[in-house]
């Protein structure tokens, strides 16, 4: 598919996101950067997500596209479907329950061009179940290489922006593993790219009290499996990274 220069393709995997999807669409339409397309990839939702999306599309905004999958395959494949359908040079990921500041895309694009980067991400703030900021901000380092990224999962998917003119599309497709987003960032960095961090809060991470990410034991299992199975790191090096990952993850949530 021919890509459009300067267009940002925003990819949103949708699965039973009826409680949030109208707010998500409205939020994207308020972006100060208007050169975007919104790809809503419905992963066979059983709630009213599709109906709400279709109702929003009745306003005839050609920048919004609904992609309906034939079977439920999970977030990784949903995002990959969006990547394959994207018309833009730039790829931004957004989860349906997360929030962006109105100038998120504008500021991040300017930062990417300033750094001449292929991969950028930003700081973010935790929000409650209603999406209201809690005051707990996750700051980000100026840059991350592969080795540094192994011990800190500070790259939040909803803040990522990628330049496919530099990375290509195959490299940014997500593997079908748990914590597929982290595995993807490591894959990109392992191929010699540097991720640049913009330490401004441009997104809100809505974190319900009983969300999967709040399950600490599950999080440890996931990161350990990434070290050993996905990255095939030696045991001692995996333990070393796990210790520092756990320390940083704990500090982020205090």
């Amino acid at each position: 598919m021919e890509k459009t220069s300067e267009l940002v393709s925003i990819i949103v995997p949708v699965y039973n996101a009826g409680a949030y999807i109208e707010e998500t669409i409205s939020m994207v339409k308020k972006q100060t950067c208007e050169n975007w397309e919104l790809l809503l990839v419905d992963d066979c939702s059983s709630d009213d997500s599709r109906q709400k999306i279709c109702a929003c599309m009745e306003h005839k905004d050609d920048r919004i596209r609904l992609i309906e999958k034939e079977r439920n395959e999970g977030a990784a494949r949903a995002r990959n479907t969006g990547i394959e359908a994207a018309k833009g040079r730039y790829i931004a990921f957004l989860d349906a329950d997360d929030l962006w500041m109105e100038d998120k895309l504008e500021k991040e694009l300017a930062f990417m061009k300033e750094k001449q980067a292929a991969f950028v991400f930003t700081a973010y703030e935790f929000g409650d179940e209603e999406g209201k900021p809690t005051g707990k901000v996750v700051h980000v380092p100026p840059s991350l290489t592969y080795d540094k990224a192994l011990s800190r999962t500070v790259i939040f998917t909803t803040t990522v922006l990628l330049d496919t003119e530099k990375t290509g599309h195959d490299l940014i497709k997500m593997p079908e593993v748990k914590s597929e987003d982290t595995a993807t960032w490591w894959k990109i960095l392992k191929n010699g790219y540097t991720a640049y961090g913009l330490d401004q809060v441009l997104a809100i991470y809505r974190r319900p009290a009983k969300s999967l990410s709040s399950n600490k034991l599950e999080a440890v299992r996931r990161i350990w499996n990434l070290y050993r199975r996905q990255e095939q790191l030696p045991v001692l090096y995996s333990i070393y990274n796990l210790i520092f990952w756990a320390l940083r993850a704990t500090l982020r949530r205090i």
Side-chain angles (χ1 to χ4, degrees):
M1 179 179 294
E2 183 179 352
K3 302 300 173 182
T4 303
S5 179
E6 304 304 314
L7 178 69
V8 182
S9 296
I10 304 163
I11 298 171
V12 181
V14 178
Y15 182 68
N16 292 345
Y20 308 111
I21 199 63
E22 291 169 312
E23 182 180 10
T24 303
I25 294 170
S26 175
M27 176 185 66
V28 170
K29 292 175 73 172
K30 292 177 182 177
Q31 285 293 301
T32 54
C33 167
E34 298 181 347
N35 193 13
W36 51 260
E37 64 169 353
L38 178 61
L39 305 179
L40 299 157
V41 185
D42 183 68
D43 199 24
C44 295
S45 296
S46 58
D47 69 352
D48 59 353
S49 295
R50 275 174 288 179
Q51 292 91 325
K52 287 184 174 180
I53 291 170
C54 290
C56 290
M57 292 174 68
E58 289 178 359
H59 298 293
K60 306 299 181 184
D61 191 330
D62 294 335
R63 296 175 298 175
I64 303 172
R65 286 196 278 158
L66 171 61
I67 301 173
E68 299 181 70
K69 294 182 67 68
E70 294 182 356
R71 60 182 182 272
N72 177 268
E73 296 180 310
R77 283 200 177 186
R79 292 191 183 106
N80 292 344
T81 296
I83 291 170
E84 291 169 358
K87 296 178 181 177
R89 169 179 174 176
Y90 303 102
I91 298 288
F93 296 107
L94 172 61
D95 285 346
D97 56 345
D98 293 325
L99 303 169
W100 279 354
M101 305 308 179
E102 291 184 6
D103 56 356
K104 188 265 189 189
L105 289 179
E106 180 182 5
K107 285 187 173 179
E108 200 167 24
L109 277 168
F111 178 70
M112 173 173 269
K113 292 174 182 178
E114 174 192 332
K115 295 294 183 181
Q116 298 183 341
F119 181 178
V120 297
F121 62 105
T122 79
Y124 61 94
E125 186 172 357
F126 286 114
D128 62 17
E129 294 187 16
E130 302 300 320
K132 296 179 181 178
T134 63
K136 181 59 182 176
V137 172
V138 176
H139 293 282
V140 297
S143 64
L144 274 180
T145 58
Y146 174 71
D147 289 337
K148 290 181 180 179
L150 288 172
S151 63
R152 64 193 79 190
T153 50
V154 72
I155 301 176
F156 176 36
T157 305
T158 284
T159 73
V160 167
L161 183 68
L162 299 163
D163 183 351
T164 64
E165 194 170 278
K166 296 179 179 179
T167 64
H169 288 77
D170 289 342
L171 184 60
I172 69 175
K173 287 184 177 178
M174 297 193 172
E176 292 181 59
V177 297
K178 291 184 177 180
S179 297
E180 71 281 350
D181 45 0
T182 297
T184 303
W185 316 147
W186 291 355
K187 179 176 62 166
I188 296 169
L189 298 177
K190 196 174 184 178
N191 275 269
Y193 294 92
T194 297
Y196 290 90
L198 174 59
D199 197 24
Q200 293 183 31
V201 174
L202 296 178
I204 301 294
Y205 174 19
R206 193 193 310 255
R207 191 173 59 151
K210 295 182 180 180
S211 67
L212 180 61
S213 59
S214 68
N215 186 324
K216 307 301 187 296
L217 183 58
E218 173 65 15
V220 170
R221 285 199 192 100
R222 287 184 176 210
I223 197 74
W224 180 256
N225 286 335
L226 286 182
Y227 290 147
R228 299 290 290 137
R229 297 177 185 175
Q230 191 71 15
E231 301 303 308
Q232 299 183 344
L233 301 179
V235 172
L236 289 179
Y237 191 40
S238 296
I239 293 172
Y240 169 84
N241 282 303
L242 181 66
I243 291 170
F244 284 97
W245 169 85
L247 286 172
R248 292 185 172 106
T250 299
L251 290 173
R252 270 207 309 272
R253 287 163 170 77
I254 294 176

